[in-house]
């Protein structure tokens, strides 16, 4: 009998070019996404060594991290950002790589446009110089975030040097209650395993609650796998996946589509295959989540209060907690729903897809953003923006007092003009609440799109389920 | 890539857990198209106050640790983004070796590709080294990669594990692109087979 294997094992085995005696492997890469921040030094390295891009046809480029999300007709104001974007333009032209430029309707956050264009496919391997590459795992694609040296390595060789990771499975069964979303699910998972819980592993997400998620929801879950420390997150492809991909510009067509689907249907973990680590959660017990500290693992149900470091027995954790609470300007025991916000950000590769826009618009419809709150909505791509506008969502947001902007990473990492001022507090749908992540001194509470919109309207963190009950 | 053989240097203690890449180098310093020049922004928020003045109490600002080349720190160091600017900033500052109970995966591989040695030690050994490092500039530590040994300031020796391929690359200063390109024939053969099996992915 052949060995029982996991989905990760299968994709890994199908891409193995070489294995050294010590276990170091050379893995073939089917798809490479590049962006302006982590690629310039890689192209410079190629140039200095006189190397070419081995497979420009498997490489796709977009500028997203630095681009302004306000009116772009006058170009980019910031000199350094402009140089980075222009460098990407030039490198793509010189090396023959396809690029979605700033004026292209297909431009957007790399992890939004890959799936949108059908560039991301089940059973393939993908890399991108960005840790949230795990997003593409939603399609049953083995996707790794890599550093610039590895970007250069992939450009030059179309392979990646890696050792095999451990197999971990997170099973979520049951039904998500009303008002509870994929974002709450993944925050709850990170809360359960911690930010290093997945270190050294590839995580397969399984169970009825994962199956019942749309592709957008699965992307949200896989996106934050890195916040649990894992190398990649993955969901077995199924009808929902095929439905999403069918007819996308870069998806296979005709007979190729049929044979691709036949193969994709074989991509699942064998019954009885063993995992190095298994975690199970029940979706019906998940309550809307919100982070209170400066690490994504600092997460609690919205019904809870700010925790007390005095209750923490581990000294290094206690020190970290005290530091977080000082940074966040919070007192132990404060109900989370009493925390007033100044800003709200809906966007990022975690939550900027059409479904996220719809969920937030549903909350915004007919309501008003609180006077003291500045709220911005940043769609994930030009195509998401266009679709939202066709559905009239932009008008719902604008009428409710939200700012409707151009696509990009925006305040997720505050490389462009969108950033928090020192001390400002934001309800954000992005993925990291690290110190200074959204601007020096800025304070971030991670939530779902619906929770973010609800907080903007209430003026403080709030339980979406109460708003919905109104 | 720079070779790493042995290093005798001042070790700076940074007893914090989950030091993320935004703490190592905030995003606003990533707008560079070069690998160099990031050392001055290393640990920016920990190191400088709101007015950009050095915080006297931050370890790397203390005279005894200004020339530190080794950092001893808490678990999950380097978590967060894949930015290689984090090891570039450490390298540009002069840090050649980081010792911690464990590291985030992407940061781990990025560091080795820049000639920085990361050493995982059990928590109690890290605690011992932190204690030693707190003695200041007379607390120098010797790291011997060939023998996989660390000699602490008190003369005690600890050994550490390392993947043999990473060790080989570091000892010889080899970048792995060159090594992988030697496998061109295998890559070509793989591509042919792969294209036949999964034509839709081309
Ligand atoms: S939206 Fe944020 S997390 Fe996603 S790619 Fe952009 S900067 Fe990275």
């Amino acid at each position: 009998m052949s060995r029982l294997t996991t989905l990760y094992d299968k994709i890994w085995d199908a891409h193995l070019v070489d294995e050294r005696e010590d276990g170091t492997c050379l893995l073939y890469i089917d798809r490479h996404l590049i962006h302006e921040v982590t690629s310039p030094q890689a192209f410079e390295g190629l140039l200095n060594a006189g190397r070419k891009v081995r497979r420009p046809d498997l490489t796709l480029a977009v500028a997203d991290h630095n681009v302004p999300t306000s009116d772009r007709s006058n170009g980019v104001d910031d000199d350094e950002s402009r140089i980075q974007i222009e460098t990407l333009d030039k490198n793509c032209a010189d090396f023959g790589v396809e690029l979605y430029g700033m004026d292209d309707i297909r431009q957007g956050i790399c992890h939004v446009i890959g799936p949108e264009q059908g560039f991301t496919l089940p059973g393939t391997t993908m890399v991108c110089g960005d840790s949230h590459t795990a997003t593409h795992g939603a399609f049953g694609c083995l996707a790794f975030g890599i550093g610039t040296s590895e970007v250069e390595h992939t450009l030059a060789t179309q392979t990646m040097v890696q050792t095999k990771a451990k197999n971990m499975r997170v099973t979520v069964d049951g039904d998500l209650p009303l008002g509870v979303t994929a974002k709450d699910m993944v925050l709850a998972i990170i809360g359960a395993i911690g930010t290093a819980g997945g270190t050294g592993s590839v995580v397969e997400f399984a169970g009825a609650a994962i199956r019942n998620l749309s592709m957008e929801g699965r992307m949200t879950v896989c996106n934050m796998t890195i916040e649990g420390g894992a190398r990649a997150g993955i969901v077995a492809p199924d009808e929902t996946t095929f439905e999403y991909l069918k007819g996308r510009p870069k998806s296979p067509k005709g007979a190729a589509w049929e044979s691709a689907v036949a193969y994709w249907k074989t991509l699942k973990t064998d019954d009885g295959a063993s995992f190095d680590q298994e975690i199970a959660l029940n979706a019906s017990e998940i309550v809307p989540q919100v982070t209170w500290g400066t690490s994504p693992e600092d997460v609690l149900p919205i019904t809870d209060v700010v925790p007390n470091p005095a209750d923490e027995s581990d000294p290094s954790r206690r020190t970290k907690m005290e530091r977080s609470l000082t940074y966040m300007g919070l007192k132990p025991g404060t109900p989370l729903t009493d925390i007033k916000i100044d800003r709200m950000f809906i966007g990022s590769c975690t939550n900027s897809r059409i479904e996220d826009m719809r969920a937030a618009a549903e909350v915004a419809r007919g309501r008003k953003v609180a006077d003291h709150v500045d709220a911005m909505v940043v769609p994930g791509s030009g195509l998401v923006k266009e679709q939202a506008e066709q559905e009239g969502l932009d008008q719902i947001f604008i009428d409710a007092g939200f700012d409707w902007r151009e696509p990009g990473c925006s305040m997720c990492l505050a490389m462009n003009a969108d950033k928090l001022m020192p001390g400002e507090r934001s309800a954000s749908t992005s993925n990291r609440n690290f110190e200074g992540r959204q601007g020096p001194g800025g304070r971030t509470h991670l939530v779902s799109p619906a929770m973010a919109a609800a907080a903007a309207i209430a003026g403080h963190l709030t339980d979406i389920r109460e708003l919905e009950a109104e | 890539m720079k070779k790493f053989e042995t290093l005798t240097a001042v070790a700076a203690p940074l007893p914090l857990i989950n030091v993320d890449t935004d703490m190592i180098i905030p995003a606003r310093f990533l707008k560079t198209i070069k690998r160099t020049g990031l050392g001055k922004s290393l640990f920016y928020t920990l190191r400088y106050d709101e007015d950009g003045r050095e915080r006297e109490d931050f370890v790397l600002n203390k005279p005894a640790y200004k020339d530190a080349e080794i950092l001893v720190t808490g678990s999950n160091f380097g978590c967060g983004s894949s930015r290689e600017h984090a090891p570039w900033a450490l390298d540009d500052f002069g840090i050649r070796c980081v010792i911690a109970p464990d590291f985030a995966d992407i940061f781990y591989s990025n560091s080795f590709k820049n000639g920085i040695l990361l050493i995982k030690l059990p928590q109690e050994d890290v605690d011992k080294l932190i204690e030693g490092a707190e003695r200041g500039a007379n607390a120098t530590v010797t790291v011997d990669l060939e023998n996989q040994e660390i000699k602490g300031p008190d003369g005690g020796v600890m050994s550490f594990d390392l993947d043999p391929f990473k060790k080989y690359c570091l000892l010889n200063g080899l970048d792995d692109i060159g090594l992988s390109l030697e496998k061109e024939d295998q890559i070509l053969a793989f591509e042919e087979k792969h294209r036949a099996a999964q034509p839709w992915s081309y």
Side-chain angles (χ1 to χ4, degrees):
Chain A
M1 202 180 86
S2 63
R3 180 174 66 111
L4 296 175
T5 53
T6 65
L7 172 58
Y8 165 52
D9 296 334
K10 289 183 209 289
I11 304 178
W12 176 272
D13 292 347
H15 290 85
L16 199 56
V17 175
D18 181 52
E19 181 165 5
R20 286 174 202 273
E21 262 170 42
D22 63 11
T24 309
C25 295
L26 204 59
L27 203 65
Y28 195 75
I29 301 303
D30 296 315
R31 298 285 184 269
H32 188 186
L33 275 168
I34 57 176
H35 64 82
E36 78 277 25
V37 179
T38 57
S39 70
Q41 295 88 347
F43 280 112
E44 185 192 49
L46 288 186
L47 214 54
N48 291 344
R51 290 173 178 144
K52 295 185 306 196
V53 174
R54 194 172 188 286
R55 294 295 303 267
D57 56 326
L58 301 182
T59 313
L60 179 63
V62 71
D64 55 3
H65 284 61
N66 258 313
V67 299
T69 59
S70 49
D71 179 16
R72 290 178 185 167
S73 47
N74 298 322
V76 184
D77 272 346
D78 182 88
D79 286 338
E80 289 178 300
S81 296
R82 194 179 53 248
I83 291 171
Q84 249 184 1
I85 295 166
E86 287 171 355
T87 304
L88 182 69
D89 291 354
K90 178 166 180 352
N91 284 330
C92 288
D94 291 353
F95 287 87
V97 171
E98 185 180 7
L99 166 79
Y100 297 158
M102 234 174 42
D103 306 322
D104 195 312
I105 181 91
R106 297 168 297 179
Q107 182 270 339
I109 305 171
C110 51
H111 308 312
V112 174
I113 65 152
E116 203 169 66
Q117 293 299 320
F119 186 66
T120 309
L121 295 177
T124 58
T125 48
M126 178 186 278
V127 293
C128 171
D130 183 282
S131 57
H132 292 95
T133 309
T135 312
H136 308 269
F139 292 82
C141 160
L142 184 58
F144 299 108
I146 56 175
T148 300
S149 295
E150 289 174 311
V151 170
E152 187 180 335
H153 189 279
T154 308
L155 289 172
T157 69
Q158 204 58 32
T159 64
M160 171 186 194
V161 178
Q162 251 208 12
T163 48
K164 183 100 192 273
K166 285 178 291 192
N167 276 293
M168 175 169 173
R169 178 161 60 188
V170 175
T171 306
V172 193
D173 279 313
D175 292 321
L176 281 176
L178 202 69
V180 183
T181 66
K183 180 64 165 286
D184 302 297
M185 189 193 285
V186 69
L187 285 171
I189 293 170
I190 294 162
I193 68 172
T195 52
T199 303
S201 305
V202 165
V203 177
E204 177 172 348
F205 294 99
I210 299 285
R211 290 271 144 254
N212 288 337
L213 290 176
S214 63
M215 287 318 295
E216 282 84 352
R218 294 181 194 182
M219 284 190 254
T220 301
V221 171
C222 287
N223 173 276
M224 288 193 72
T225 322
I226 182 70
E227 265 57 66
R231 286 199 201 160
I234 195 163
V235 176
D238 59 12
E239 290 303 326
T240 309
T241 321
F242 311 147
E243 182 67 25
Y244 179 99
L245 286 173
K246 192 159 192 186
R248 301 262 163 191
K250 290 182 188 294
S251 292
K253 307 268 169 344
W257 170 261
E258 299 305 328
S259 58
V261 171
Y263 172 67
W264 294 342
K265 285 184 175 165
T266 68
L267 294 171
K268 49 177 168 263
T269 293
D270 296 330
D271 287 339
S274 75
F275 285 83
D276 300 285
Q277 199 184 345
E278 293 238 39
I279 305 278
L281 261 77
N282 189 334
S284 64
E285 288 165 10
I286 302 174
V287 167
Q289 304 278 305
V290 54
T291 62
W292 52 266
T294 57
S295 163
E297 70 185 7
D298 299 340
V299 67
L300 283 171
I302 182 70
T303 46
D304 218 319
V305 299
V306 176
N308 193 341
D311 301 336
E312 174 61 58
S313 53
D314 180 292
S316 49
R317 293 202 166 273
R318 193 181 322 125
T319 313
K320 172 77 174 51
M321 238 169 134
E322 283 161 356
R323 189 186 160 85
S324 295
L325 290 184
T326 310
Y327 181 84
M328 293 298 288
L330 293 175
K331 284 204 187 53
T334 312
L336 293 171
T337 47
D338 281 1
I339 299 174
K340 254 180 94 170
I341 60 162
D342 312 297
R343 305 278 296 270
M344 187 230 63
F345 169 62
I346 292 177
S348 91
C349 57
T350 315
N351 285 125
S352 64
R353 299 182 181 82
I354 189 67
E355 208 173 78
D356 302 313
M357 299 293 125
R358 289 182 191 139
E362 202 45 53
V363 176
R365 188 192 301 274
R367 296 192 169 101
K368 285 271 180 241
V369 170
D371 286 342
H372 67 276
V373 175
D374 178 73
M376 64 198 281
V377 184
V378 184
S381 71
L383 289 168
V384 169
K385 180 167 188 264
E386 186 184 59
Q387 184 172 354
E389 289 173 354
Q390 279 164 5
E391 294 179 17
L393 306 184
D394 58 326
Q395 208 48 52
I396 297 176
F397 285 124
I398 293 164
D399 290 347
F402 293 80
D403 196 5
W404 177 248
R405 303 179 74 93
E406 299 294 326
C409 293
S410 181
M411 205 162 75
C412 173
L413 91 167
M415 269 189 90
N416 67 1
D418 311 338
K419 52 172 79 104
L420 298 178
M421 292 293 124
E424 270 188 337
R425 187 182 298 286
S426 176
S428 300
T429 66
S430 42
N431 40 54
R432 290 196 173 129
N433 51 345
F434 296 157
E435 289 181 23
R437 170 77 180 186
Q438 295 199 281
R443 295 161 170 167
T444 303
H445 295 276
L446 301 176
V447 287
S448 74
M451 285 279 284
I457 287 154
H460 53 83
L461 296 177
T462 191
D463 190 337
I464 178 69
R465 298 169 304 176
E466 282 170 23
L467 197 75
E468 279 180 348
E470 264 174 30
Chain B
M1 194 175 86
K2 269 182 282 191
K3 281 188 191 178
F4 191 113
E5 289 164 323
T6 57
L7 171 68
T8 299
V10 174
L14 186 68
L16 284 177
I17 59 165
N18 293 342
V19 172
D20 58 66
T21 48
D22 280 80
M23 279 164 100
I24 300 173
I25 183 93
R28 60 188 182 283
F29 300 113
L30 310 189
K31 295 185 189 181
T32 170
I33 56 168
K34 299 269 165 249
R35 290 172 203 247
T36 49
L38 291 163
K40 57 181 186 303
S41 312
L42 176 71
F43 295 124
Y44 193 89
T45 321
L46 292 167
R47 205 162 135 206
Y48 304 100
D49 66 16
E50 289 73 24
D51 306 317
R53 280 186 306 250
E54 286 192 357
R55 297 182 199 270
E56 280 174 20
D57 58 349
F58 181 64
V59 61
L60 296 178
N61 291 334
K62 294 179 186 167
Y65 299 102
K66 285 238 178 219
D67 297 320
E69 292 178 58
I70 299 169
L71 196 65
V72 193
T73 186
S75 81
N76 203 24
F77 187 83
C79 60
S81 104
S82 66
R83 61 187 68 158
E84 201 156 316
H85 308 71
W88 293 338
L90 286 165
D91 180 53
D92 196 54
F93 180 89
I95 303 285
R96 298 291 320 279
C97 173
V98 186
I99 303 172
D102 51 41
F103 298 91
D105 279 337
I106 307 178
F107 175 78
Y108 190 76
S109 80
N110 283 344
S111 295
F112 281 91
K113 297 197 195 293
N114 289 280
I116 300 174
L117 171 62
L118 302 192
I119 300 176
K120 298 182 201 175
L121 286 183
Q123 184 73 51
E124 64 260 29
D125 286 349
V126 172
D127 291 345
K128 232 182 275 169
L129 283 174
I130 287 189
E131 219 173 277
E134 278 166 353
R135 280 187 249 161
N138 22 3
T140 53
V141 169
T142 298
V143 177
D144 176 350
L145 177 57
E146 179 64 52
N147 295 307
Q148 296 182 219
E149 277 177 358
I150 303 171
K151 205 186 291 156
D154 56 1
V157 175
M158 304 166 181
S159 59
F160 61 89
D161 284 338
L162 187 65
D163 164 281
F165 182 65
K166 287 202 161 63
K167 177 176 171 178
Y168 170 75
C169 289
L170 215 50
L171 279 174
N172 297 291
L174 296 175
D175 92 275
D176 49 22
I177 297 182
L179 293 174
S180 296
L181 283 174
E182 287 173 11
K183 311 249 163 166
E184 177 63 19
D185 289 349
Q186 266 163 281
I187 299 174
L188 273 174
F190 177 87
E191 265 178 341
E192 217 166 288
K193 188 182 78 177
H194 194 46
R195 190 195 298 267
Q198 298 180 25
W200 57 85
S201 58
Y202 285 81

